[in-house]
Amino acid sequence: MCGIVGYIGSKDAYPILINGLKRLEYRGYDSAGVALISEGFNVQKVKGKVVDLEVLGVSQSKAGTIGMGHTRWATHGEPNEINAHPHISFRGHFTLVHNGIIENYSSIRKHLLTRGIEFLGETDTEVLVNLIEHLYLEGDLTAEQAVQMACHKVSGAYGIVVACKNEPDQLIAARKGSPLVIGVGDGEYYLASDATPLIEHTNNVIYMNDDDVAIIRRDELVLRTLKSDKLQPKVTELDMSIGEIDKEGFDFFMLKEIFEQPRSIQDTFRGRVLSDLSGIQLGGLLEVLPRLYKAPRIIITACGTSWHAGLVGEYFFEEFARVPVEVEYSSEFRYRNPILNGQDIVIAISQSGETADTLAAIRLAKERGSTVLGICNVVGSSIPRETDAGVYTHAGPEIGVASTKAFTAQVTVLFMMAMLVGRNNGNLSQEKFEALIRELVNIPDKMRKVLEKEQDIMKLAEIYKDAPNALYLGRGVFFPVALEGALKLKEISYIHAEGYPAAEMKHGPIALVDENMPIVVVATKDQTIDKVTSNIQEIKARKGKVIAIVSEGDTEITAIADHTIEVPETFPEFSVLLGVVPLQLFAYHVAVLRGCDVDQPRNLAKSVTVE
Ligand code: G6P
């Protein structure tokens, strides 16, 4: 949700900013801009993507060793050049880039209008930069003081980088609710919404916390709280390599990430599954394990694909640990009056660790006395820092907007957590526990076999690429897989797709079934397989086209479905990991055949830091 970059040092800022924006483009991509700060502000902005900004830059001056850049996901005001960032204040003293939403912008705007300030566009950000300037001029303040005071006056979320014309050798950064990371170089500093643009410059980063303000000069970084208390910056070493954020020969990040899954799952359980396969160790949970083992109830909260992983987790906890689980959309949970107590465990799942609604749900649960655990992918992001304990998924950076490897890593973590609880509360025998671990270790190889089916899946994509609608069905633990398959297809190919519990189809979606309707059924072996077979018969009786994901060696469903994709046999819980891969590949190839921008689907953003 908007990407911010900044640079101050002795190198040319422009290429650093452009490159950084490209790395962050997955956060938003409807308009982009840079400001170079030397003798005044040189602001260049366009409606469109960072490549369009580069085209504009060809005919512009690029001089300057200080600058900031922005790639936008519109909240207030349509995507156009005027609403693009950086914004310059009315009297020209300040320029600013912003990620987040200023909720009280309307009343501030009205006040500023009465003071003779004129606005060019409709954004909340233009209000913020003008508020800073107004306070600066009226109060005869320093730039730092004006930024601090403005931050006190606004409500909502922001990550901002600000420059002042009269104090040209510094950048000011502030954060509340929207992430900002400072990269520490030698006589230079970098700023970004996340660490991906920094890794090619430095391994040393400082994660800003809410209500931090940083005054950054070439040779000095001063970090303070909004109340002006000086802070000691905590430098963290990044554990990320440049290769992890490159496409490495794949056409799209999404395809690279789909193919990375055998490795990423392995990374998720590596070092956590004991070498003799007799146990699991989740270091990040050590302190809370006694509470987790005794929890009378678990509430899982998340958004999007992470919510689907949560639904899978519900089956795992019920099956292995016999603990009641509720799975909540964070955006709903945060505005309800949920009944929580000190013994409940809340698990927040998030790839980015920055989703605004999930953060708010965590804060609510903590207020109500629950222990909150996080399952996150991005190390050092806000959610791991706000939760009581947690487990990193270790899937590596996920850049494609449609989540793939983060989902399978989240499912793997939930699986390990549920098994741990089950074994400790006596609901999972040591024998079954060890059998499950032995199979978990085999899953990466089995997944490689599924990936070998890509050509077959491409053929299916060719057949169904023009379908206006698609239905995805699954039962039990495969119902969330169906939801996830439908989400993948709709978000990247724009085909309307719905996920449904297979038997519920009779209560509505069956009315849509005709000879043009592809229906993807996750029909791998479990105790409901006969029922699912009957559901497929019901579809075939109405001439629907069935693509079934089946277990290797299946003959019954293969005889009635129009197409089948086999996945290796395993425990049903692991069939989630194997069964979702053909659905990811199907969505990917349909989208490619339809000419869609797979990594940057329209209107979506990878990290939703606004509510
Ligand atoms: C956005 C992304 C999804 C993601 C969801 C939740 O919608 O496009 O891929 O599943 O946010 O994000 P999180 O980072 O909290 O998992």
Side-chain angles (χ1 to χ4, degrees):
M1 203 105 316
C2 297
I4 291 181
V5 289
Y7 176 73
I8 177 163
S10 54
K11 298 179 191 140
D12 279 340
Y14 184 84
I16 294 170
L17 299 176
I18 291 288
N19 218 18
L21 289 181
K22 285 183 181 161
R23 298 262 185 233
L24 287 179
E25 212 168 13
Y26 68 89
R27 300 176 67 90
Y29 32 80
D30 56 46
S31 51
V34 289
L36 297 163
I37 294 114
S38 52
E39 317 260 297
F41 304 139
N42 169 5
V43 173
Q44 302 167 20
K45 8 192 227 180
V46 286
K47 175 180 176 183
K49 299 194 175 186
V50 179
V51 285
D52 302 308
L53 184 65
E54 271 184 298
V55 171
L56 173 77
V58 170
S59 57
Q60 311 275 317
S61 157
K62 299 183 202 61
T65 54
I66 304 179
M68 62 182 77
H70 188 269
T71 176
R72 181 169 184 244
W73 186 88
T75 57
H76 296 63
E78 64 171 287
N80 61 26
E81 194 189 314
I82 291 176
N83 289 332
H85 305 209
H87 286 283
I88 296 184
S89 56
F90 179 55
R91 298 196 166 86
H93 291 278
F94 286 88
T95 186
L96 170 150
V97 288
H98 168 220
N99 171 25
I101 291 182
I102 304 302
E103 286 167 358
N104 57 344
Y105 83 105
S106 169
S107 59
I108 298 172
R109 190 176 203 267
K110 275 189 202 135
H111 172 71
L112 294 176
L113 281 168
T114 66
R115 311 306 295 257
I117 292 157
E118 289 169 24
F119 293 89
L120 300 172
E122 299 102 54
T123 64
D124 51 337
T125 306
E126 200 185 349
V127 173
L128 179 57
V129 73
N130 276 295
L131 175 65
I132 294 170
E133 182 181 69
H134 172 67
L135 296 167
Y136 174 78
L137 294 174
E138 284 239 319
D140 200 16
L141 305 178
T142 63
E144 178 189 347
Q145 287 166 333
V147 170
Q148 277 194 334
M149 193 173 280
C151 290
H152 279 294
K153 289 189 184 293
V154 295
S155 58
Y158 55 80
I160 50 172
V161 179
V162 189
C164 175
K165 202 182 263 180
N166 299 337
E167 301 173 36
D169 288 321
Q170 69 181 18
L171 291 173
I172 302 173
R175 115 156 228 181
K176 184 180 180 188
S178 302
L180 266 184
V181 191
I182 302 170
V184 183
D186 190 9
E188 58 182 7
Y189 290 95
Y190 301 82
L191 276 154
S193 298
D194 67 42
T196 47
L198 306 182
I199 189 69
E200 60 205 82
H201 305 291
T202 175
N203 277 327
N204 296 322
V205 300
I206 298 162
Y207 293 101
M208 288 182 70
N209 289 314
D210 275 355
D211 294 333
D212 282 1
V213 180
I215 321 304
I216 310 172
R217 304 191 184 96
R218 288 183 177 86
D219 52 358
E220 184 188 30
L221 166 79
V222 179
L223 197 64
R224 286 193 229 279
T225 65
L226 256 191
K227 291 186 185 141
S228 269
D229 299 328
K230 206 160 174 190
L231 296 165
Q232 189 56 41
K234 186 171 166 253
V235 179
T236 309
E237 200 168 324
L238 276 180
D239 182 18
M240 198 192 278
S241 72
I242 191 79
E244 287 179 290
I245 53 173
D246 277 339
K247 284 192 213 148
E248 290 175 345
F250 286 90
D251 288 342
F252 288 96
F253 277 110
M254 182 181 176
L255 189 62
K256 176 192 167 210
E257 288 157 6
I258 291 173
F259 273 85
E260 272 175 352
Q261 289 176 108
R263 200 254 325 133
S264 55
I265 287 176
Q266 202 153 10
D267 287 347
T268 304
F269 66 70
R270 193 195 306 277
R272 289 162 168 172
V273 165
L274 300 186
S275 51
D276 63 359
L277 306 185
S278 64
I280 287 173
Q281 220 168 29
L282 296 173
L285 295 184
L286 272 185
E287 278 181 24
V288 296
L289 280 179
R291 272 178 276 168
L292 179 60
Y293 293 154
K294 277 197 262 144
R297 192 169 67 126
I298 292 173
I299 292 121
I300 299 179
T301 186
C303 303
T305 288
S306 299
W307 182 77
H308 294 160
L311 290 176
V312 174
E314 178 178 11
Y315 288 89
F316 290 173
F317 278 108
E318 286 182 359
E319 179 67 23
F320 300 146
R322 310 296 304 136
V323 181
V325 177
E326 285 162 38
V327 187
E328 303 271 2
Y329 283 117
S330 304
S331 53
E332 291 296 316
F333 181 74
R334 65 178 291 190
Y335 286 116
R336 287 219 318 271
N337 188 8
I339 299 161
L340 293 170
N341 66 46
Q343 290 168 319
D344 289 331
I345 295 279
V346 173
I347 303 176
I349 309 175
S350 174
Q351 187 287 128
S352 62
E354 300 293 350
T355 301
D357 285 320
T358 305
L359 266 166
I362 289 169
R363 288 172 192 152
L364 176 67
K366 283 175 83 175
E367 266 166 41
R368 304 263 162 125
S370 300
T371 300
V372 186
L373 314 181
I375 298 177
C376 279
N377 195 37
V378 178
V379 175
S381 56
S382 299
I383 290 177
R385 286 186 287 142
E386 292 211 18
T387 41
D388 297 301
V391 185
Y392 280 119
T393 44
H394 294 323
E398 190 181 66
I399 311 286
V401 166
S403 184
T404 51
K405 64 175 179 170
F407 173 78
T408 45
Q410 289 162 346
V411 167
T412 306
V413 169
L414 285 160
F415 176 79
M416 290 190 289
M417 284 174 78
M419 279 178 61
L420 260 189
V421 178
R423 198 192 50 180
N424 278 280
N425 70 14
N427 282 297
L428 186 62
S429 69
Q430 182 67 20
E431 195 190 351
K432 176 83 193 275
F433 179 84
E434 289 188 18
L436 286 164
I437 297 186
R438 276 198 301 278
E439 182 60 359
L440 175 61
V441 175
N442 292 331
I443 290 301
D445 277 340
K446 292 193 172 180
M447 195 178 263
R448 284 184 189 98
K449 289 199 175 147
V450 182
L451 289 165
E452 284 167 13
K453 314 257 160 151
E454 189 188 12
Q455 293 300 322
D456 300 341
I457 295 166
M458 276 168 84
K459 285 184 198 142
L460 292 180
E462 190 66 60
I463 299 171
Y464 293 107
K465 67 178 191 315
D466 297 319
N469 298 292
L471 193 58
Y472 284 71
L473 303 177
R475 276 186 103 122
V477 76
F478 304 127
F479 165 50
V481 179
L483 289 175
E484 178 59 9
L487 176 64
K488 287 306 88 143
L489 188 71
K490 79 181 123 193
E491 65 184 345
I492 60 170
S493 76
Y494 318 136
I495 292 176
H496 171 246
E498 265 190 85
Y500 239 76
E504 274 295 303
M505 172 194 65
K506 291 192 283 295
H507 302 285
I510 200 162
L512 303 171
V513 174
D514 63 15
E515 64 278 11
N516 300 316
M517 175 78 138
I519 296 143
V520 181
V521 189
V522 187
T524 45
K525 255 190 214 158
D526 78 346
Q527 82 273 16
T528 62
I529 188 69
D530 295 339
K531 310 284 174 200
V532 175
T533 311
S534 306
N535 298 141
I536 294 176
Q537 293 283 16
E538 289 155 11
I539 299 165
K540 286 315 300 170
R542 286 152 186 90
K543 300 195 167 42
K545 296 283 185 290
V546 173
I547 302 168
I549 313 301
V550 296
S551 299
E552 235 163 41
D554 168 275
T555 49
E556 215 169 324
I557 294 176
T558 306
I560 50 173
D562 297 85
H563 319 273
T564 49
I565 299 289
E566 287 193 349
V567 300
E569 244 198 273
T570 181
F571 290 110
E573 291 79 13
F574 295 124
S575 292
V576 170
L577 296 172
L578 302 184
V580 77
V581 173
L583 309 191
Q584 296 167 342
L585 283 170
F586 181 67
Y588 171 83
H589 284 292
V590 169
V592 170
L593 289 167
R594 288 165 69 93
C596 300
D597 186 343
V598 171
D599 283 338
Q600 294 177 355
R602 73 180 175 214
N603 302 338
L604 295 177
K606 179 87 187 143
S607 176
V608 182
T609 54
V610 294
E611 62 169 295

